[in-house]
């Protein structure tokens, strides 16, 4: 007879390591932190963050992965790979510690796919704290290695503003040249003249990328490296940037926020000029995406407007920008003229996305600066002409401006874009009504369906007219009386707008047969509602039903 003891089965308590490998990988993948969007200021400290905020979620997930590294070697090997896959530098100390890790454990960073440095490397406070961290965490040999780059720049008479220390740039250069599988690079850049641009960083990356036979340095960049010699200690172990696809330039968000909200005397013009970092576009032949926050609108194309066959042809932008397929500009001061220049030099562009900086005064300054060009209707440098000639590969177009004080010709004839219907590959469009209709808003021949490309799938219409700028700025101060007064003034406008949308729902059946989604954004909600608590949907039920009958989802929302 079997004894009770033999029937008893002892099971070890389940652990994370006992899970099937595929399940364990799924759990760890879920724990991978998602980096907050560009333009977000870095967190001051973890304890001050509110649960649910992007940075709180990001740092919490990283802490959890670090904790797993202490459980066992097996979990450490799995968690470390995920920690170093996407590297985000938020403090001067973390920059130096990553440099030390790079030297002590090279294998850990072999699979790094993304490197994000959210420090402005030329700010005096950053330079000071980097030196402090070097003294605290690095031995003498490592400190000497970093110093060599700074000494070399001085020896070779490279540009060095008075009193500017290049050490943080040298560290980032050294790190980037040792991340052979890097696919995405985010650099936080200076936005004012008080903080010099990254001369050392650009020189280093161009020079060392050019040392490999598959990538001779183009003539336009040769002047950056003519004096370079004796940097064998800095040489990358293998060809860098072979896999780099995305370059992100983040204008210093902390300083930008200060200029917008606190400074009593901000610079007349501030932001990033992406073309100052033009050599970085060349370092990877696979670069397809450029994303910029807080550009200054200058896009200094003037030096590169060179005709084919001229003696300065080597200075043309096309070979450098030609690989770009997607450009995203956030909080931008880029005017239609400069968007046209971008299109002219990126003939394969599929995405052009631009949201304007919410600063009417600075926006006006840039439009006024264009007045000296004296551009007339139909000018070859208008955005409309550029779209018609070079925008035929666009699949996603999203553009907007707060105002265009008297310079509508920069957009196109009658301040609108009649070339849009020719963009047959365009599938996603976000556009302001004022840019569709321009000065011809009362022309009955201009139906909405006739103004749009034929193969749209997603359409975002912004209920914005340049004459709304004062109401837009003042609406936050309106009381009930002002809201009701504005609502009443817009009665005829609402009637015409609703009739336009109803006609579009009917005509788009044949003219935009692929259309699936329409979103109407209303920056001034009081045009459509007279008091708080009433949904924006109130006026649009008939419009929604008209679109629904043809299988299109229609949504109205605040901008």
């Amino acid at each position: 007879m079997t004894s009770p003891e033999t029937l008893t089965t002892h099971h070890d308590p389940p652990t994370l390591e006992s899970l099937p490998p595929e399940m364990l990988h799924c759990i760890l993948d879920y724990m991978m932190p998602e980096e907050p969007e560009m333009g977000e200021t870095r967190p001051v400290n973890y304890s001050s963050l509110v649960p649910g905020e992007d940075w709180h979620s990001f740092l919490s997930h990283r802490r959890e992965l670090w904790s797993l590294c202490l459980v066992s070697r097996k979990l450490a090997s799995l968690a470390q790979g995920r920690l170093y896959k996407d590297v985000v530098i938020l403090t001067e100390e973390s920059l130096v510690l990553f440099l030390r890790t790079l030297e002590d454990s090279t294998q850990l960073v072999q699979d790094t796919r993304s490197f994000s440095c959210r420090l402005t490397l030329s700010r005096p406070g950053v330079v000071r704290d980097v030196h402090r961290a070097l003294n605290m965490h690095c031995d003498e040999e490592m400190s000497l290695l970093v110093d060599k780059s700074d000494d070399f720049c001085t020896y070779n008479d490279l540009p060095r503003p008075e009193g500017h220390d290049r050490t943080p740039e040298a560290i980032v250069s050294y790190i980037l040249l040792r991340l052979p599988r890097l696919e995405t690079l985010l650099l936080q850049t200076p936005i004012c003249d008080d903080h010099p641009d990254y001369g050392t960083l650009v020189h280093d990356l161009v020079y060392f990328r050019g040392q490999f036979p598959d990538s001779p340095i183009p003539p336009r960049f040769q002047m950056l490296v003519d004096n370079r010699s004796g940097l064998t200690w800095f040489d990358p172990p293998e060809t860098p940037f072979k896999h780099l696809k995305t370059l992100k330039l983040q204008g210093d968000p902390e300083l930008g926020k200060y200029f917008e909200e606190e400074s009593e005397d901000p610079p007349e013009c501030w932001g990033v000029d992406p073309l100052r970092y033009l050599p970085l576009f060349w370092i990877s032949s696979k670069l397809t995406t450029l994303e910029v926050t807080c550009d200054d609108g200058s896009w200094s194309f003037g030096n590169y407007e060179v005709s084919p066959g001229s003696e300065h042809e080597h200075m043309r932008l096309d070979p450098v920008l030609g690989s770009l397929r997607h450009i995203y500009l956030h909080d931008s001061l880029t005017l239609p003229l400069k968007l046209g220049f971008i299109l002219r030099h990126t003939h394969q562009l599929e995405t052009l996305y631009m949201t304007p900086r919410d600063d009417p005064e600075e926006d006006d300054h840039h439009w006024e600066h264009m007045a000296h060009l004296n551009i007339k209707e139909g000018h070859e440098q208008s955005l409309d002409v550029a779209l018609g000639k070079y925008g035929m590969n666009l699949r996603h177009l999203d553009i907007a401006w707060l105002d265009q004080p008297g310079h509508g010709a920069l957009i196109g004839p009658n301040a609108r874009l009649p070339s849009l219907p020719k963009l047959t590959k365009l599938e996603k469009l976000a556009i302001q009504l004022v840019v569709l209709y321009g000065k011809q808003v009362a022309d009955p021949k201009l139906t909405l369906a006739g103004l749009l490309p034929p193969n749209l799938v997603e359409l975002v219409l912004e209920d914005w007219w340049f004459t709304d700028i004062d109401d837009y700025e003042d609406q936050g101060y309106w009381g009930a009386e002002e809201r009701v007064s504005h609502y009443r003034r817009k009665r005829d406008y609402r009637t015409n707008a609703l009739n336009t949308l109803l006609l579009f729902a009917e005509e788009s059946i044949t003219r935009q047969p692929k259309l699936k989604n329409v979103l109407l954004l209303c920056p001034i909600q009081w045009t459509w509602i007279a008091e708080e608590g009433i949904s924006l949907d109130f006026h649009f039920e008939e419009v929604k039903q008209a679109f629904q009958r043809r299988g299109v989802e229609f949504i109205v929302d605040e901008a």
Side-chain angles (χ1 to χ4, degrees):
M1 187 173 181
T2 305
S3 65
E5 288 79 5
T6 61
L7 295 175
T8 303
T9 303
H10 296 281
H11 294 285
D12 292 331
T15 64
L16 194 59
E17 292 180 89
S18 65
L19 293 173
E22 59 272 16
M23 187 177 293
L24 184 56
H25 281 288
C26 285
I27 292 173
L28 292 177
D29 287 341
Y30 179 78
M31 295 173 64
M32 284 280 289
E34 185 174 342
E35 183 180 357
E37 295 181 355
M38 292 177 67
E40 294 285 336
T41 55
R42 57 177 176 153
V44 178
N45 59 68
Y46 181 77
S47 60
S48 65
L49 295 174
V50 177
E53 289 182 341
D54 290 343
W55 279 119
H56 184 275
S57 176
F58 174 80
L59 293 174
S60 296
H61 279 76
R62 287 194 68 84
R63 287 185 168 201
E64 292 166 359
L65 286 172
W66 277 119
S67 298
L68 286 180
C69 294
L70 305 177
V71 175
S72 69
R73 290 188 176 183
K74 177 183 177 180
L75 289 178
S77 64
L78 295 173
Q80 282 180 337
R82 287 164 171 80
L83 278 169
Y84 285 100
K85 182 179 179 182
D86 301 308
V87 176
V88 180
I89 302 298
L90 297 176
T91 67
E92 295 80 1
E93 185 177 31
S94 64
L95 177 64
V96 171
L97 289 174
F98 185 69
L99 172 67
R100 192 178 70 177
T101 299
L102 191 68
E103 286 300 292
D104 295 343
S105 308
T106 306
Q107 194 58 39
L108 282 176
V109 299
Q110 288 306 297
D111 292 323
T112 297
R113 296 293 191 271
S114 171
F115 181 84
S116 176
C117 182
R118 293 184 179 243
L119 301 170
T120 301
L121 303 175
S122 55
R123 289 187 74 165
V126 172
V127 174
R128 180 194 64 232
D129 290 344
V130 164
H131 278 286
R132 185 179 298 162
L134 281 170
N135 293 332
M136 185 181 301
H137 298 292
C138 292
D139 56 25
E140 185 177 355
E141 182 179 353
M142 177 61 69
S143 296
L144 286 173
L145 182 145
V146 173
D147 289 342
K148 281 183 180 180
S149 178
D150 197 40
D151 292 341
F152 178 83
C153 294
T154 303
Y155 177 77
N156 284 297
D157 196 28
L158 295 178
R160 176 175 183 162
E162 185 177 355
H164 176 44
D165 187 318
R166 298 176 179 273
T167 300
E169 293 178 56
I171 292 175
V172 173
S173 299
Y174 188 84
I175 289 172
L176 293 177
L177 290 165
R178 277 157 178 74
L179 303 178
R181 292 171 181 81
L182 192 66
E183 296 177 359
T184 300
L185 170 61
L186 184 153
L187 290 174
Q188 183 166 300
T189 61
I191 60 172
C192 67
D193 293 338
D194 291 340
H195 305 146
D197 289 319
Y198 297 157
T200 291
L201 182 66
V202 171
H203 283 72
D204 282 347
L205 299 186
V206 170
Y207 175 80
F208 289 108
R209 182 68 178 93
Q211 299 311 298
F212 292 87
D214 68 319
S215 55
I217 299 174
R220 66 176 314 111
F221 301 139
Q222 191 62 47
M223 60 184 175
L224 297 182
V225 298
D226 279 342
N227 295 326
R228 295 230 144 188
S229 60
L231 279 178
T232 55
W233 55 271
F234 211 53
D235 284 348
E238 58 181 290
T239 308
F241 308 117
K242 287 188 298 184
H243 305 285
L244 186 65
K245 299 175 183 177
T246 301
L247 174 63
K248 299 182 177 184
L249 301 176
Q250 174 177 271
D252 187 334
E254 297 168 7
L255 192 57
K257 187 176 181 181
Y258 170 74
F259 286 155
E260 288 179 340
E261 299 178 2
E262 301 177 36
S263 177
E264 295 181 357
D265 186 26
E268 188 174 73
C269 179
W270 52 272
V272 183
D273 179 357
L275 289 193
R276 292 190 180 184
Y277 300 90
L278 184 65
L280 299 184
F281 301 1
W282 162 77
I283 59 177
S284 173
S285 60
K286 295 185 177 180
L287 188 68
T288 59
T289 302
L290 172 66
E291 191 164 1
V292 184
T293 63
C294 198
D295 71 74
D296 65 1
S298 62
W299 287 88
S300 49
F301 283 98
N303 297 330
Y304 308 111
E305 287 295 292
V306 180
S307 301
S310 76
E311 61 177 318
H312 301 295
E313 185 169 7
H314 67 279
M315 295 296 288
R316 294 181 65 215
L317 284 171
D318 305 54
V320 183
L321 301 182
S323 66
L324 290 177
R325 298 292 186 273
H326 312 282
I327 294 179
Y328 300 89
L329 308 176
H330 309 273
D331 298 321
S332 174
L333 288 176
T334 302
L335 300 187
L337 179 74
K338 297 302 176 75
L339 287 183
F341 285 164
I342 291 173
L343 286 165
R344 189 177 305 170
H345 297 287
T346 52
H347 299 169
Q348 301 302 314
L349 202 63
E350 296 177 11
T351 303
L352 181 57
Y353 174 98
M354 191 216 80
T355 57
R357 192 183 301 177
D358 194 2
D359 187 341
E361 289 187 11
E362 196 158 7
D363 194 52
D364 284 351
H365 165 75
H366 278 264
W367 284 98
E368 289 165 6
H369 183 67
M370 293 290 106
H372 74 280
L373 297 177
N374 197 28
I375 290 180
K376 304 296 184 182
E377 296 284 336
H379 195 282
E380 63 177 10
Q381 291 186 348
S382 71
L383 175 58
D384 183 68
V385 171
L387 281 171
K389 285 186 177 181
Y390 310 110
M392 293 304 170
N393 290 305
L394 283 173
R395 296 181 181 275
H396 180 191
L397 179 64
D398 187 329
I399 52 176
W401 296 276
L402 292 178
D403 198 2
Q404 58 87 12
H407 303 294
L410 294 174
I411 297 175
N414 293 305
R416 65 184 194 88
L417 297 174
S419 63
L420 279 179
K422 302 175 185 176
L423 306 184
T424 57
K425 293 184 179 180
L426 201 65
E427 298 173 346
K428 296 174 64 176
L429 174 65
I431 196 87
Q432 296 163 312
L433 290 175
V434 67
V435 177
L436 286 176
Y437 287 94
K439 301 175 183 177
Q440 296 175 278
V441 65
D443 189 340
K445 293 181 292 185
L446 296 181
T447 64
L448 186 53
L451 300 175
L452 297 171
N455 294 313
L456 284 181
V457 177
E458 298 180 22
L459 173 64
V460 178
L461 294 171
E462 186 175 3
D463 183 20
W464 181 260
W465 304 88
F466 295 141
T467 53
D468 290 338
I469 186 69
D470 290 336
D471 288 341
Y472 175 71
E473 293 178 346
D474 295 342
Q475 63 176 328
Y477 305 100
W478 285 350
E481 185 177 341
E482 288 89 353
R483 294 169 186 168
V484 170
S485 175
H486 176 82
Y487 179 80
R488 288 173 176 170
R489 288 200 315 271
K490 294 292 184 176
R491 183 183 62 180
D492 291 342
Y493 173 77
R494 286 193 299 274
T495 300
N496 292 333
L498 291 170
N499 289 336
T500 296
L501 290 171
L502 287 170
L503 180 61
F504 176 53
E506 180 183 340
E507 290 189 340
S508 62
I509 295 174
T510 55
R511 305 194 75 161
Q512 284 82 28
K514 298 179 181 179
L515 191 64
K516 295 297 181 185
N517 302 97
V518 176
L519 171 62
L520 177 66
L521 296 177
C522 302
I524 305 177
Q525 60 174 327
W526 310 114
T527 297
W528 296 97
I529 58 177
E531 57 187 73
E532 294 180 337
I534 298 178
S535 170
L536 275 172
D537 292 332
F538 177 74
H539 288 284
F540 293 95
E541 286 304 322
E542 187 180 355
V543 174
K544 280 190 171 186
Q545 292 173 13
F547 277 107
Q548 190 174 18
R549 285 194 292 270
R550 62 147 302 191
V552 174
E553 182 182 29
F554 179 87
I555 298 174
V556 59
D557 201 355
E558 297 179 40

